[in-house]
């Protein structure tokens, strides 16, 4: 089908054409062979959406998305015996996946989809026009295609111009687009974060007016978009868009609640702005790409403050135990968003621990307290270091330098103890089997109680040697009235596990 007119389908610059050609070469000969197969059968095939956009932006892309006028069953017939592997998990939505020569592709039949106002599932209908298929896509920058074979560039809605201006518009009216799929409002914020694009004013207005529609979308789909947003290069822009349009009130209500009213004496910080700065400062410390757990913890670390704010005598404002309340709120929200259990546990634990350092003072902690800090952080210690450092947003240079030096000192002490005591794997010097042998008891709750005593001993005194630890265990057992006597004889004691 011919494109609507030349003005709607400007020829990309030589540089842009080269970018598309490079993408097509990367998936050749697969794309060429597939295009020939579909053309020979009288069907259209085109590379579409994200891969075209990313090629034009010179960004790497893992996806190879294709679209066609062939219905799903016809797609299966055309790739039968040609593809190395086929999967049909998305066939109800018109999508067939395949792998050929190490390249994975998804082919989707031209379609339109819309949501019933009370339904979480879209109604899918198939179409016959590439341009109409592009019309129903979320944003004009994702509504560009390259036909196969032939590589004809198709851009009926000005996506190339939007890429050059770094703006997000919908191909048609944003109200129609968001009515068809409310998740596209989240995608607008996600692309603002990933690409650093601004969002057109009419799109922002539609997002604001229709924010409540997001509630018909499943928690899993919202979670996936939120994770991509937070993991983007510019998460502040995406999060601000969620808050300003009211979407955050439906998907992450704890975030806009951080906009606490500031009294005229400015007796406390703007917690919302502080949290965004902490997020940015945590990101600046990342070493191996986006760390979703660290970023979520940085964003949510103070969400307990609105519930714990108290106005004290003398004009002071307090947020006592906000880290405990915040940890519970983080766990509840992330669970509702269907995050994996390990992510929920790690983020809520970091929120709970983020204030612990402030008890360190100017280095008054004993070695025992340092060991407990490491023990409580466990495998999250590196992230806790980054979160704690990021949490310093004071403009007072002297105070900031003092906090930095103090945390430097704590990390140095942790490193020293780690070298001396294998601190990262703190455990008693006597294991469960040895406890049973020393006390003359069998398996049971008493072994766990003795183990916990020995762990506290290890934290308090460090490495004291097995003989000394065994002597302390016998003294503890004697005080508890259980186990073998201190001289090691086997008379006396209680039945194992009945303490």
């Amino acid at each position: 089908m011919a494109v609507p007119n030349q003005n709607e389908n400007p020829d990309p610059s030589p540089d842009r054409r080269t970018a598309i050609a490079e993408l097509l070469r990367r998936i050749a000969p697969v794309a060429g062979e597939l295009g020939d197969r579909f053309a020979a059968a009288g069907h259209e095939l085109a590379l579409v959406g994200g891969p075209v956009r990313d090629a034009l932006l010179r960004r790497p892309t893992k996806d190879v998305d294709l679209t066609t006028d062939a219905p799903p069953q016809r797609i299966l017939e055309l790739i039968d015996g040609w593809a190395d592997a086929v999967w049909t998990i998305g066939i109800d939505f018109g999508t067939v996946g395949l792998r050929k020569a190490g390249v994975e592709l998804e082919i989707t039949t031209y379609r339109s989809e819309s949501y019933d106002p009370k339904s979480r599932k879209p109604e899918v209908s198939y179409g016959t026009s590439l341009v109409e298929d592009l019309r129903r896509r979320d944003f004009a920058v994702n509504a560009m295609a390259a036909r196969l074979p032939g590589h004809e560039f198709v851009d009926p809605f000005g996506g190339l111009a939007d890429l050059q201006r770094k703006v997000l518009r919908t191909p048609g009216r944003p109200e129609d687009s968001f009515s068809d799929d409310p998740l596209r409002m989240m995608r607008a914020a996600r692309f603002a974060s990933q690409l650093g694009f601004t969002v057109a004013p009419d799109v922002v207005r539609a997002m604001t007016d229709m924010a409540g529609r997001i509630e018909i979308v499943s928690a899993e789909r919202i979670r996936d978009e939120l994770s991509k947003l937070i993991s983007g290069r510019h998460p502040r822009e995406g999060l601000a868009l969620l808050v300003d349009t009211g979407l955050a009130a439906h998907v992450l209500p704890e975030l806009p609640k951080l906009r606490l009213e500031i009294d005229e004496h400015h007796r406390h910080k703007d917690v919302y702005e502080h949290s965004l700065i902490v997020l940015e400062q945590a990101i600046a410390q990342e070493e191996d790409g986006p760390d979703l757990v660290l970023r979520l913890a940085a964003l949510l670390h103070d969400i307990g403050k609105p519930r714990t704010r108290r106005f004290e005598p003398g004009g002071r404002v307090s947020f006592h135990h906000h880290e405990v309340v915040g940890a519970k709120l983080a766990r509840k929200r992330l669970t509702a968003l269907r995050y994996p259990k390990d992510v929920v546990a790690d983020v809520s634990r970091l929120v709970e621990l983020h204030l612990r350092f402030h008890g360190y003072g100017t280095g008054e902690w004993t070695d025992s307290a340092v060991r407990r800090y490491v023990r409580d952080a466990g495998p999250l210690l590196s992230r806790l270091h980054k979160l704690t450092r990021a949490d310093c947003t004071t403009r007072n240079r002297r105070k900031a330098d003092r906090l930095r030096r103090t945390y430097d000192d704590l990390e140095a002490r942790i490193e020293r103890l780690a070298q001396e005591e294998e601190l990262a794997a703190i455990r008693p010097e006597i294991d469960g089997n040895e406890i049973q042998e020393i006390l003359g008891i069998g398996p049971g709750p008493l072994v766990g109680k003795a183990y916990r005593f020995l762990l506290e001993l290890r934290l308090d005194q460090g490495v004291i040697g097995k003989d000394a630890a065994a002597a302390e265990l016998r003294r503890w057992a004697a005080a508890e009235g259980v186990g073998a006597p201190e001289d090691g004889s086997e008379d006396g004691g209680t039945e194992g596990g009945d303490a």
Side-chain angles (χ1 to χ4, degrees):
M1 175 178 291
V3 293
N5 61 60
Q6 186 62 32
N7 290 331
E8 290 179 326
N9 187 43
D11 186 46
S13 68
D15 184 61
R16 308 282 181 171
R17 287 198 300 271
T18 299
I20 296 174
E22 287 176 355
L23 173 63
L24 292 170
R25 277 197 298 271
R26 182 173 66 81
I27 61 175
V30 173
E33 291 180 10
L34 200 55
D36 289 338
R37 291 178 74 89
F38 275 67
H43 288 290
E44 299 177 356
L45 186 70
L47 185 70
V48 69
V52 177
R53 178 200 69 222
D54 289 340
L56 292 168
L57 290 173
R58 297 305 182 100
R59 296 175 74 239
T61 182
K62 295 180 180 179
D63 301 324
V64 181
D65 297 328
L66 302 165
T67 189
T68 180
D69 61 345
Q73 290 302 322
R74 183 60 172 148
I75 296 173
L76 291 174
E77 293 172 4
L78 290 171
I79 63 175
D80 183 36
W82 178 81
D84 298 330
V86 175
W87 50 94
T88 58
I89 190 171
I91 199 165
D92 289 343
F93 298 99
T95 298
V96 174
L98 65 98
R99 183 173 61 253
K100 175 70 173 180
V103 178
E104 293 190 358
L105 312 95
E106 286 192 345
I107 308 174
T108 301
T109 305
Y110 296 158
R111 67 187 186 188
S112 62
E113 58 188 36
S114 60
Y115 282 76
D116 182 275
K118 298 180 180 180
S119 173
R120 291 179 181 267
K121 295 183 178 180
E123 297 178 358
V124 177
S125 58
Y126 300 131
T128 58
S129 164
L130 174 59
V131 171
E132 289 306 310
D133 179 82
L134 296 176
R135 188 188 304 277
R136 65 100 190 160
R137 293 180 180 266
D138 52 8
F139 301 103
V141 295
N142 295 329
M144 297 179 288
R147 292 185 184 275
L148 301 174
H151 304 175
E152 175 194 356
F153 182 64
V154 182
D155 179 24
F157 303 105
L160 181 58
D162 286 356
L163 282 184
Q164 293 167 335
R165 294 187 297 129
K166 296 185 177 181
V167 65
L168 288 173
R169 293 182 307 107
T170 53
R173 290 192 338 129
E175 293 83 1
D176 296 335
S177 180
F178 298 153
S179 180
D180 285 346
D181 185 355
L183 189 68
R184 291 171 176 174
M185 295 184 287
M186 289 287 295
R187 286 199 196 115
R190 188 243 290 186
F191 285 126
S193 170
Q194 288 183 328
L195 303 176
F197 283 17
T198 58
V199 181
D202 63 329
V203 176
V204 174
R205 284 194 297 271
M207 291 170 66
T208 305
D209 293 342
M210 302 178 68
R213 283 277 288 160
I214 197 66
E215 293 191 357
I216 73 166
V217 180
S218 70
E220 291 83 358
R221 296 182 75 208
I222 290 173
R223 172 203 64 207
D224 291 346
E225 288 297 328
L226 183 62
S227 295
K228 292 174 184 177
L229 185 162
I230 291 173
S231 298
R233 295 180 61 186
H234 312 276
R236 170 189 276 267
E237 284 76 1
L239 292 166
L241 187 61
L242 292 184
V243 171
D244 293 343
T245 59
L247 275 165
H250 299 277
V251 301
L252 195 64
E254 294 77 11
L255 186 59
K257 287 179 181 178
L258 292 176
R259 282 180 157 174
L260 298 177
E261 181 180 352
I262 306 298
D263 60 80
E264 71 269 24
H265 301 293
H266 297 280
R267 285 185 287 242
H268 62 83
K269 298 177 182 177
D270 178 345
V271 184
Y272 169 72
E273 177 64 20
H274 165 75
S275 297
L276 294 180
I277 294 173
V278 172
L279 172 60
E280 291 177 325
Q281 294 186 165
I283 291 171
Q285 299 177 70
E286 290 176 338
E287 298 161 354
D288 299 310
D291 183 340
L292 179 63
V293 167
L294 176 63
R295 293 188 182 201
L296 284 169
L299 181 65
L300 303 178
H301 77 284
D302 272 349
I303 59 172
K305 281 190 170 181
R307 287 197 181 182
T308 58
R309 181 171 63 160
R310 299 291 183 272
F311 294 97
E312 308 289 354
R316 291 182 57 253
V317 178
S318 68
F319 303 96
H320 294 310
H321 306 300
H322 76 268
E323 74 281 11
V324 177
V325 173
K328 293 178 181 178
L329 291 174
R331 179 177 294 275
K332 182 178 180 180
R333 176 56 50 200
L334 296 178
T335 299
L337 287 169
R338 305 290 194 271
Y339 274 96
K341 290 182 179 179
D342 60 334
V343 173
V344 175
D346 288 351
V347 172
S348 57
R349 185 62 167 158
L350 286 169
V351 172
E352 182 181 4
L353 293 175
H354 84 273
L355 279 187
R356 182 74 64 86
F357 158 72
H358 293 284
Y360 188 71
T362 56
E364 290 85 358
W365 277 5
T366 62
D367 283 354
S368 173
V370 175
R371 295 186 192 101
R372 282 180 167 79
Y373 186 77
V374 175
R375 188 271 310 270
D376 291 346
L380 297 173
L381 182 61
S382 176
R383 285 173 169 142
L384 183 58
H385 287 333
K386 294 172 183 174
L387 177 60
T388 302
R389 290 183 181 277
D391 196 25
C392 175
T393 62
T394 178
R395 295 181 180 178
N396 184 317
R397 179 70 62 85
R398 183 176 299 176
K399 181 179 180 181
D401 287 344
R402 176 174 55 80
L403 286 170
R404 177 182 53 76
R405 288 194 302 269
T406 302
Y407 206 83
D408 286 345
D409 179 67
L410 174 58
E411 285 201 65
R413 288 183 65 186
I414 290 172
E415 180 62 26
R416 175 178 60 78
L417 289 171
Q419 292 177 355
E420 294 173 357
E421 307 177 12
E422 296 183 5
L423 200 56
I426 291 179
R427 58 177 59 87
E429 295 178 78
I430 295 172
D431 64 23
N433 291 330
E434 292 168 320
I435 289 171
Q436 296 176 57
E437 182 179 346
I438 292 168
L439 298 184
I441 62 176
L446 182 58
V447 176
K449 189 174 181 181
Y451 186 92
R452 289 189 291 275
F453 162 76
L454 290 169
L455 179 59
E456 290 300 312
L457 179 70
R458 169 76 169 79
L459 291 166
D460 284 336
Q461 298 186 27
V463 177
I464 62 175
K466 280 198 172 187
D467 290 344
E472 292 293 336
L473 175 62
R474 292 190 182 97
R475 277 192 285 273
W476 170 84
E480 294 286 322
V482 297
E486 189 171 339
D487 62 8
S489 63
E490 297 301 324
D491 58 327
T494 63
E495 294 183 10
D498 292 335

